[in-house]
Amino acid sequence: MANLIGVWLAILLLAPSAGNLIAPLSYGRWMPVHLDLQLYGWISLPLIGWLLRAYRADSGQLAHWSKVAIFLWSLALMLGSISWLSGHSSGKLFLDWTGYVRIFFPATILFLWIIVVLALLRDRFFNPNLSRKELYSKLGGTVLLFIVPFLLYFASNPDVYPSINPSTGGPTGSSQLESVLVIVAILFLLPYGITRLKAGKPKWHRTCWIVFGLESLLCLALGRHNASQHNPVQYLSLGTVLVWAPLLPLYYRAFMWPTNARIWLHATYVWWSMLLVTGWLVFLPGILDRFKFTDGLVGHSLMAMAGFVTTLLILVLVVLLEQDGDIFLSTWAFWAWQLGTFLYVVIMFYAGWIEGADPAFTIVPGPLRDAIYWLRLLLGIAMTAASLQWLWRSTISVRTNHRISRDVIQIHEDEIAGVLS
């Protein structure tokens, strides 16, 4: 749905009059639906699957309530979409929740948290294999997750703003560093929920955690205050994130990865490196001044969400699904998504660079602008086709597994009936 809406938005950029067909559902009303469904649906649902597997909430009696939590999550997105299409939004990017959905969505997250806590309590008292280290790690995770719904409600308030860069109106170097470290922490914890650590003392594993601790101290020392990217402390401190380009692959070598996940693992490394390098370059004085609020930042956001995060989460799905993860090994779909995203980023960077010098470039139709937007539409169609292919293959896989399970149950019931007779 989110990808199809993206294609519709690309069409509207080329032919704004097409929006009259479904007025008053304008471009401005579809945009939060597209962005929020990408973040809270396309990207978040695989992470929920990882969370339920990590806490073993997908087994036993709690499996039923886990399905209820996923249903409520989807219902919240549907209600949110109705709200945004009705013209109600907080006006904050990715925090558009307002009115009753601003309460319903955090309440849904809280319900999911309760399922996770119940799964932890069940393991605490009835799972003899649960180690003390694993128990404390999961307990720490539940404490951190508890603040998420309240933080989301608070951050959705239009009156709440983070520290800004007074030169650009964008984020500060310290806030960017903080965001990267949060992502690094998630990347470090992610393998523990889906695979196992190799035997012995894997090389680089402890070193990566030490570097993470040092960078966290640097982030704390920078503080949270308004600061310009022209300040060397800001862009030099943000430059320290480049160390994670080689360190992440070294860290992940410590874990056991299935063969069918390796192509997604390597693609994740490529996007991660590109994201770090371009993220720092775009922040530098002189470049950010020209790039701010242009299609260039749209391209960088796409690199983060469609490139790095999507590739990472498909990696997670492949590992979680084990052999069924082969549904993501379609060669044409892999390259349609990867090359589509890469070329999309390239043309958006190019358009953003021109727009920085000539703001009328994206407003006034012209041969070059239209050519870029036509190519953008075609690439969006290719990426959407890949996602639809994955949806089709996963649906077939689920239906096949359901039929096999039903047949196995029927065989057992026939055997029991035979014994009783």
Side-chain angles (χ1 to χ4, degrees), residues 161-201:
Y161 283 95
S163 56
I164 65 165
N165 179 344
S167 301
T168 66
T172 64
S174 56
S175 66
Q176 292 287 76
L177 177 60
E178 184 180 282
S179 300
V180 172
L181 289 179
V182 170
I183 295 171
V184 170
I186 294 173
L187 290 172
F188 275 15
L189 296 175
L190 205 57
Y192 287 102
I194 58 177
T195 186
R196 289 177 297 160
L197 200 62
K198 291 179 180 175
K201 293 184 177 179

Side-chain angles (χ1 to χ4, degrees), residues 3 36 44 50 67 79 112 118 132 134 138 167 176 224 226 265 267 274 280 285 297 310 313 330 381 388 398 408:
N3 292 336
D36 290 314
S44 297
W50 167 80
K67 291 178 181 177
L79 294 175
L112 178 65
L118 290 176
R132 189 177 294 273
E134 189 178 0
K138 289 184 174 180
S167 301
Q176 292 287 76
R224 296 181 59 84
N226 299 337
L265 188 63
M274 289 174 58
W280 182 63
L297 291 187
T310 296
L313 294 179
S330 168
I381 292 173
L388 291 175
V398 169
V408 170

Side-chain angles (χ1 to χ4, degrees), residues 96 99 181 238 278 325 396 420:
D96 302 274
L181 289 179
L238 183 59
T278 57
I396 295 296
L420 292 176

Side-chain angles (χ1 to χ4, degrees), residues 45 74 146 148 151 163 264 284 395 419 421:
L45 284 172
S74 301
F146 178 71
V148 172
L151 197 60
S163 56
W264 292 102
L284 292 175
T395 303
V419 171
S421 63

Side-chain angles (χ1 to χ4, degrees), residues 47-178:
L47 283 176
I48 293 174
W50 167 80
L51 181 69
L52 296 175
R53 174 65 64 87
Y55 280 82
R56 298 197 326 115
D58 58 342
S59 62
Q61 295 181 340
L62 284 176
H64 170 74
W65 292 106
S66 295
K67 291 178 181 177
V68 173
I70 294 173
F71 170 80
L72 290 175
W73 188 284
S74 301
L75 179 62
L77 293 186
M78 187 183 75
L79 294 175
S81 299
I82 294 172
S83 171
W84 301 319
L85 288 174
S86 302
H88 303 292
S89 169
S90 69
K92 301 179 74 173
L93 202 62
F94 296 115
L95 293 169
D96 302 274
W97 308 95
T98 187
Y100 67 95
V101 289
R102 187 181 167 208
I103 298 173
F104 187 80
F105 187 49
T108 299
I109 300 175
L110 195 59
F111 180 78
L112 178 65
W113 178 82
I114 292 172
I115 301 298
V116 168
V117 171
L118 290 176
L120 179 60
L121 291 174
R122 181 193 60 188
D123 269 9
R124 167 68 179 84
F125 294 106
F126 300 106
N127 182 9
N129 297 322
L130 184 68
S131 66
R132 189 177 294 273
K133 181 180 179 181
E134 189 178 0
L135 173 64
Y136 288 149
S137 299
K138 289 184 174 180
L139 187 61
T142 56
V143 172
L144 290 175
L145 290 173
F146 178 71
I147 64 174
V148 172
F150 302 99
L151 197 60
L152 182 72
Y153 180 84
F154 173 75
S156 298
N157 187 341
D159 296 329
V160 175
Y161 283 95
S163 56
I164 65 165
N165 179 344
S167 301
T168 66
T172 64
S174 56
S175 66
Q176 292 287 76
L177 177 60
E178 184 180 282

